[in-house]
């Protein structure tokens, strides 16, 4: 690696990220960006600078190496015989780990996609250790989001699970740090189930987005068609934000204009109100734009806007107000110090901001709507990861973001001042890292 500039003395630790890295294995080809076999990579910052990457040995990858496509993924069809489908109407769900990787327990990290299978990862070697085991009675087939949230006030991780079947439901659960038992906070039945990628969490409430991209679970039985292909965009059936009281499990629905969402930015309680900020698309066409033949033509520029919904006590409807006049994805906040609380800064990536090419890192001042931007011609930046200055005020620190130079076997890790987005340092490697999804930074102990 080459280093330009100087890394802050306090910035010591590991950035580990994941994303779809391999789209063809022998004769097996995936159909959608979200289904690429995951690649894990790490930048280690300290007295020594190191880069590591690994293609995790999942069962899904090993099946592909044997020429088989028999596990269910997001949007690539399975190829299972009629006999296999009758014998087992619901296929195995993928154990690919291409969406997120977070520090977990006993020094291990947890790598995941939206499935029942999450893997412990050795952060030193990036090897998968074992599947995460749970000691509770929730169904083993329950898929969980790849965006578990930390509940700072209860020292727990909170997440949503989806169970599909005759009695479909979204389950909000809490898992105390260090425990293997998931405790149900609320179980919400659905006839037509929305696709949930993330959710809002604050001390009093969780907010589940019932956006109108929904599935009738019965349509999936016996089918070789992929998960996402059973979903329908149905704005005529309305959109709702479901406020869940985390003590009582009581659900209060708020009607709202139709939208489609992958990522919540943040949420906070404000007296009896709860405020949910998220990145919203006008509809779900983004899912179709990420099929590989489409991607070969053009990577779709981010069209989603940062939006705010205030769920007021006693009201039945919530409006969606833009937080700033920008288009972005991969939202981030000062998670350690501001998640679930009032906050003033959000960061994101404006993908394709230069005539459909490149991407820029954005910082939004939520009080004044003021925006700062960093970009470089020919570079596609991914998610901005905020790392707080250990002695600084909340939202003071740096942004770490990995960028790929288009058309060259070169990628960079850029360190930006979080407020002004001015470059502090750049690490370069002669490897083309594909645009990934999510990752985290953990300080060296
Ligand atoms: Fe995500």
């Amino acid at each position: 690696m080459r280093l330009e500039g100087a890394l802050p003395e306090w910035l010591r630790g590991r950035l580990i990220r994941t994303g779809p890295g391999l789209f063809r294995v022998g004769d097996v080809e995936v159909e959608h960006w979200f289904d690429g076999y995951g690649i894990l990579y790490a930048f280690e910052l300290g007295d020594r600078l190191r880069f590591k990457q690994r293609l995790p040995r999942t069962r899904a990858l090993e099946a592909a190496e044997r020429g088989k496509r028999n596990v269910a993924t997001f949007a690539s069809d399975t190829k299972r015989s009629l006999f296999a489908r009758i014998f087992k109407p619901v296929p195995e769900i993928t154990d690919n780990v291409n969406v997120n990787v977070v520090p977990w327990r006993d020094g291990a990290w947890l790598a995941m996609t939206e499935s029942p299978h999450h893997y412990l990862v050795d952060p030193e070697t990036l090897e998968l250790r074992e599947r995460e085991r749970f000691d509770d009675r929730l169904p083993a087939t329950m898929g969980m989001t790849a965006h578990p949230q930390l509940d700072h006030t209860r020292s727990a991780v909170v997440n949503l699970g989806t169970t599909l079947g005759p009695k479909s439901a979204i389950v909000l659960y809490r898992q105390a740090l260090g425990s293997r038992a998931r405790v149900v906070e609320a179980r919400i039945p659905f006839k037509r189930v929305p696709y949930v990628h993330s959710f809002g969490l604050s001390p009093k409430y969780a907010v589940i987005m019932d956006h109108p991209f929904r599935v009738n679970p019965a349509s999936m039985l016996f089918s070789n068609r992929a998960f996402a292909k059973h979903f329908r965009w149905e704005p005529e059936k309305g959109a709702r934000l479901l406020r869940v009281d985390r003590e009582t499990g009581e659900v209060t629905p708020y009607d709202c204009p139709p939208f489609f969402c992958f990522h919540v930015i943040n949420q906070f309680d404000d007296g009896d109100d709860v405020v949910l900020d998220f990145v919203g698309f006008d509809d779900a066409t983004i899912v179709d734009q990420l099929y590989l033949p489409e991607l070969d033509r053009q990577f779709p520029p981010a069209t989603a806007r940062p939006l705010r919904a205030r769920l007021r006590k006693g009201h039945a409807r919530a409006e969606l107000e833009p937080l700033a006049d920008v288009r972005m994805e991969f939202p981030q906040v000062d998670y350690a110090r501001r998640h679930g609380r009032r906050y003033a800064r959000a960061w994101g990536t404006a993908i394709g901001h230069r005539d459909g090419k490149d991407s820029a890192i954005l910082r939004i001042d939520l009080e004044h709507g003021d925006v700062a931007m960093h970009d470089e011609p020919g570079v596609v930046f991914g998610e901005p990861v905020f790392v707080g200055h250990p002695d600084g005020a909340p939202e003071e620190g740096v942004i770490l973001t990995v960028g790929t130079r288009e058309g060259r076997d070169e990628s960079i890790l850029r360190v930006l001042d979080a407020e002004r987005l001015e470059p502090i340092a750049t690490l370069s490697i002669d490897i083309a890292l594909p645009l990934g999804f999510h990752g985290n930074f953990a300080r060296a102990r």
Side-chain angles (χ1 to χ4, degrees):
M1 276 193 297
R2 299 174 295 283
L3 171 66
E4 281 170 64
L7 293 166
E9 180 56 28
W10 56 265
L11 186 65
R12 290 167 172 268
R14 250 188 205 114
L15 174 74
I16 307 186
R17 297 186 56 74
T18 186
L22 190 62
F23 297 89
R24 186 185 301 120
V25 179
D27 292 335
V28 175
E29 232 174 317
V30 304
E31 295 176 44
H32 195 276
W33 188 37
F34 292 178
D35 293 332
Y37 297 95
I39 182 173
L40 286 165
Y41 64 82
F43 286 90
E44 294 177 5
L45 311 179
D47 294 331
R48 288 179 64 192
L49 302 174
R50 289 193 293 186
F51 174 81
K52 296 170 177 173
Q53 62 175 349
R54 185 180 289 281
L55 204 57
R57 305 293 309 167
T58 56
R59 289 187 195 179
L61 179 63
E62 285 173 356
E65 286 173 346
R66 293 194 306 272
K68 288 210 151 94
R69 201 159 93 184
N70 54 3
V71 296
T73 62
F74 182 76
S76 301
D77 294 339
T78 52
K79 288 191 174 153
R80 300 189 309 142
S81 68
L82 185 62
F83 177 78
R85 285 187 280 152
I86 290 170
F87 185 67
K88 203 170 181 193
V90 180
E92 282 290 322
I93 301 173
T94 187
D95 64 345
N96 191 12
V97 286
N98 70 357
V99 182
N100 201 358
V101 56
V102 301
W104 202 239
R105 65 159 73 92
D106 304 329
W109 288 50
L110 193 71
M112 58 199 115
T113 186
E114 295 168 326
S115 87
H117 316 300
H118 292 175
Y119 274 102
L120 294 170
V121 175
D122 183 331
E124 190 60 40
T125 63
L126 300 180
E127 277 169 323
L128 300 186
R129 281 183 184 164
E130 60 189 297
R131 286 194 193 171
E132 174 71 335
R133 285 175 291 110
F134 298 104
D135 185 11
D136 58 41
R137 303 184 67 176
L138 285 168
T141 53
M142 184 179 82
M144 297 163 282
T145 88
H147 288 284
Q149 302 291 314
L150 256 183
D151 179 347
H152 304 282
T153 56
R154 293 174 180 82
S155 293
V157 169
V158 179
N159 203 354
L160 296 183
T162 299
T163 59
L164 297 173
K167 288 185 176 174
S168 297
I170 292 181
V171 177
L172 173 73
Y173 67 81
R174 179 169 80 223
Q175 186 178 357
L177 296 179
S179 159
R180 291 185 184 276
R182 295 167 294 183
V183 176
V184 174
E185 291 192 355
R187 190 178 177 285
I188 302 146
F190 285 89
K191 286 210 169 63
R192 293 185 65 77
V193 188
Y195 165 67
V196 288
H197 186 84
S198 68
F199 63 103
L201 188 77
S202 46
K204 282 199 224 170
Y205 299 110
V207 176
I208 297 169
M209 296 180 286
D210 181 17
H211 57 181
F213 190 58
R214 302 191 183 98
V215 69
N216 169 11
S219 74
M220 292 178 164
L221 292 175
F222 308 107
S223 177
N224 265 342
R225 280 166 65 76
F227 180 74
K229 293 178 186 172
H230 291 274
F231 280 72
R232 292 283 165 269
W233 174 246
E234 46 183 38
E236 71 285 353
K237 293 195 174 141
R240 300 178 308 162
L241 298 171
L242 306 175
R243 189 193 73 179
V244 185
D245 184 311
R246 297 188 50 207
E247 287 302 324
T248 65
E250 186 192 355
V251 178
T252 310
Y254 291 78
D255 290 326
C256 69
F259 67 96
F260 175 79
C261 174
F262 289 116
H263 295 123
V264 164
I265 304 172
N266 203 2
Q267 176 176 307
F268 58 91
D269 300 321
D270 186 10
D272 286 332
D273 293 354
V274 59
V275 176
L276 171 74
D277 295 343
F278 63 95
V279 176
F281 293 83
D282 292 341
D283 56 40
T285 52
I286 181 69
V287 175
D288 290 336
Q289 289 171 336
L290 296 173
Y291 282 95
L292 293 192
E294 294 290 321
L295 285 185
D296 280 346
R297 280 192 284 282
Q298 191 197 13
F299 198 91
T303 56
R305 295 176 297 161
L307 300 172
R308 170 162 291 183
R310 177 176 285 271
L311 311 189
R312 295 176 197 275
K313 195 178 182 187
H315 287 229
R317 190 172 170 83
E319 297 307 326
L320 308 178
E321 307 286 348
L323 282 166
D325 185 20
V326 295
R327 306 276 168 161
M328 58 177 253
E329 250 296 348
F330 301 139
Q332 289 277 304
V333 298
D334 179 353
Y335 197 87
R337 293 178 293 195
R338 282 294 170 260
H339 172 245
R341 299 164 207 179
R342 269 179 198 282
Y343 70 118
R345 297 282 182 278
W347 292 266
T349 310
I351 298 165
H353 76 299
R354 202 191 307 274
D355 299 328
K357 286 187 165 285
D358 303 352
S359 65
I361 301 300
L362 304 177
R363 187 271 296 140
I364 304 171
D365 176 329
L366 299 175
E367 280 153 15
H368 308 101
D370 158 66
V371 175
M373 187 176 104
H374 172 79
D375 72 341
E376 184 179 323
V379 177
V380 180
F381 287 109
E383 176 186 61
V385 175
F386 178 89
V387 185
H389 191 297
D391 306 318
E395 304 180 326
E396 196 178 300
V398 297
I399 290 294
L400 305 182
T401 183
V402 176
T404 306
R405 286 193 200 283
E406 237 177 313
R408 281 166 62 181
D409 283 344
E410 187 183 337
S411 303
I412 58 176
L413 171 66
R414 181 147 291 158
V415 184
L416 302 166
D417 170 80
E419 179 62 17
R420 299 185 305 279
L421 295 189
E422 283 163 7
I424 296 171
T426 303
L427 285 163
S428 308
I429 49 166
D430 294 329
I431 293 170
L433 289 171
L435 176 63
F437 290 130
H438 306 292
N440 286 275
F441 183 82
R443 292 177 204 281
R445 284 163 193 266

